[in-house]
Amino acid sequence: MEIIDNQTIQNFKTFIDKHDFFLIIGHKEPDGDCISSCLGIAAIIKNFKKDYQLLSAGPFKRNEIMPYESLFTDTMTFLDENERKATGLIITDCSEMHRLGDIDGDLKGLDTFIIDHHKTSEVSENATGYINPNSPSCAYLIQLFYEKLIGPIPEETAKILFLGICTDTGFFRFLTSTPESADLLSAVSRLVSYGANPKTTYNEINNGKPYSTRKLLGILLSRAERYLDGRLIITYETLEDTKKWGTEGRDSDALYQLLLSTKGAQVAVFLRQDTLTTCTGGFRSQDKVDVSVVAAKFGGGGHKNASGMSTEGKIDTLLPAIIKEFARIM
């Protein structure tokens, strides 16, 4: 099954052909899929013998993406008026400008191409691109663009794209019996044939966690509370927790997995007080509940079963508001 048609491939090639320089960026607080997608696009641009700059607002908190942090910057290279006209902005694993985070430089007004797979995404009027909410991973889409435009993928790029696919599919445990899942598994087999190593990638994602994250995980589990007859479980991290245990190598994936494995649980929510006046939150669910609906209420978005948000507020006031929104849909 071809999920990206030839016209879309040609549209991206036309976009590349008409620019001399590219800014490549994904969402703030990047995960493996975001970083892999950016690096995959960079590999495509490099094959067209054109220059690019990788941008990210960070922070790089996850073990598996830390080795790539030095390749990214949060400061745009200076562009004069003529250079801006010859510059293409490629946004991947995201489509909303506000989710790109704080970048030192002006991204507005640049000719833009978006490649994304989030349910809450849409291509703006002044941009072109391709968004497929049925795709299990954005890195998977980048793989297809690469293979269609260039051909077989070099080993190092294959490893990077495989990492992105694995992080967003929970090492394939989030896949269901859909044509997109079947096609993704076929694509993954090609990545392995190019040199990607499942065992090595699994260890990169799951091993080597700092001891502090094990302690924090225990605290968050002990703080978890059940709501809506046990269907909703919420836990949170305070400023004091962050100060004591740091931000290195967070293991929110393990937290969500443990909470959702609770009998009767349909949704797990993790809130973190980032500053005195702002919070971020993560939402995960079993098959039926669409958490992106609630995330959107708090300035966030994402997938049906995995979304996030960043908003003004404090945990003690956000908690009842979030519970109320989930009560409407559960």
Side-chain angles (χ1 to χ4, degrees):
M1 187 186 83
E2 297 289 343
I3 73 167
I4 304 179
D5 60 35
N6 289 332
Q7 184 59 56
T8 300
I9 298 297
Q10 183 58 48
N11 290 345
F12 190 39
K13 184 179 184 301
T14 300
F15 183 84
I16 295 172
D17 288 340
K18 76 180 202 178
H19 298 97
D20 300 326
F21 181 73
F22 298 87
L23 297 169
I24 303 169
I25 188 170
H27 57 78
K28 62 184 177 181
E29 301 223 11
D31 55 10
D33 192 34
C34 176
I35 293 304
S36 295
S37 296
C38 288
L39 293 172
I41 289 172
I44 292 173
I45 299 302
K46 188 175 181 180
N47 264 275
F48 280 82
K49 302 187 185 307
K50 298 196 175 187
D51 293 328
Y52 61 86
Q53 183 184 31
L54 289 162
L55 295 173
S56 177
F60 284 65
K61 296 179 180 179
R62 299 169 181 261
N63 280 5
E64 62 269 20
I65 64 173
M66 286 181 182
Y68 305 109
E69 183 174 8
S70 63
L71 301 176
F72 292 78
T73 177
D74 62 1
T75 304
M76 273 178 59
T77 187
F78 173 77
L79 300 170
D80 63 29
E81 185 175 348
N82 288 331
E83 288 170 332
R84 287 182 67 86
K85 291 178 181 178
T87 296
L89 173 64
I90 303 177
I91 302 174
T92 188
D93 203 36
C94 178
S95 69
E96 302 92 350
M97 294 294 289
H98 71 274
R99 291 193 64 228
L100 301 180
D102 295 327
I103 298 294
D104 185 5
D106 185 12
L107 295 173
K108 296 178 181 177
L110 293 170
D111 196 12
T112 303
F113 197 97
I114 295 168
I115 302 175
D116 195 11
H117 73 130
H118 290 94
K119 181 181 178 182
T120 52
S121 295
E122 59 181 30
V123 176
S124 58
E125 292 181 2
N126 61 344
T128 56
Y130 177 75
I131 295 175
N132 187 335
N134 294 318
S135 173
S137 164
C138 193
Y140 163 52
L141 298 179
I142 305 304
Q143 175 187 350
L144 298 182
F145 273 106
Y146 191 110
E147 290 173 323
K148 288 281 189 178
L149 288 168
I150 301 164
I153 300 175
E155 181 176 335
E156 286 307 309
T157 302
K159 290 177 179 178
I160 289 168
L161 293 173
F162 185 76
L163 171 70
I165 292 171
C166 288
T167 55
D168 240 34
T169 62
F171 229 96
F172 314 115
R173 72 181 187 274
F174 301 149
L175 297 182
T176 57
S177 55
T178 64
E180 290 81 10
S181 294
D183 195 54
L184 178 139
L185 290 172
S186 295
V188 162
S189 72
R190 296 196 299 274
L191 292 179
V192 174
S193 74
Y194 299 145
N197 187 317
K199 180 180 179 180
T200 300
T201 301
Y202 182 88
N203 289 334
E204 288 174 356
I205 295 171
N206 294 287
N207 294 347
K209 306 290 186 183
Y211 176 72
S212 59
T213 66
R214 309 299 91 184
K215 297 289 288 185
L216 179 59
L217 184 59
I219 292 169
L220 298 178
L221 288 172
S222 68
R223 192 176 285 156
E225 295 289 346
R226 296 190 294 174
Y227 302 90
L228 306 181
D229 298 322
R231 290 170 292 160
L232 170 65
I233 303 181
I234 302 179
T235 189
Y236 58 88
E237 178 182 329
T238 67
L239 287 172
E240 291 74 20
D241 294 330
T242 306
K243 183 177 179 180
K244 182 174 182 179
W245 302 110
T247 60
E248 182 185 3
R250 292 303 175 84
D251 200 7
S252 55
D253 291 339
L255 176 64
Y256 294 128
Q257 190 173 355
L258 288 166
L259 294 178
L260 284 176
S261 66
T262 305
K263 184 177 181 180
Q266 296 178 16
V267 174
V269 174
F270 168 51
L271 297 177
R272 182 171 66 240
Q273 191 77 51
D274 287 322
T275 70
L276 289 173
T277 59
T278 61
C279 283
T280 54
F283 305 78
R284 300 292 186 274
S285 71
Q286 308 285 13
D287 290 338
K288 294 182 179 180
V289 182
D290 187 349
V291 294
S292 70
V293 174
V294 176
K297 296 280 188 179
F298 297 90
H303 306 291
K304 175 183 176 181
N305 301 124
S307 292
M309 62 121 185
S310 180
T311 186
E312 298 286 329
K314 295 187 176 182
I315 288 173
D316 57 355
T317 55
L318 285 171
L319 267 174
I322 289 172
I323 295 167
K324 183 178 180 180
E325 291 299 330
F326 274 112
R328 296 179 190 274
I329 65 172
M330 294 176 66

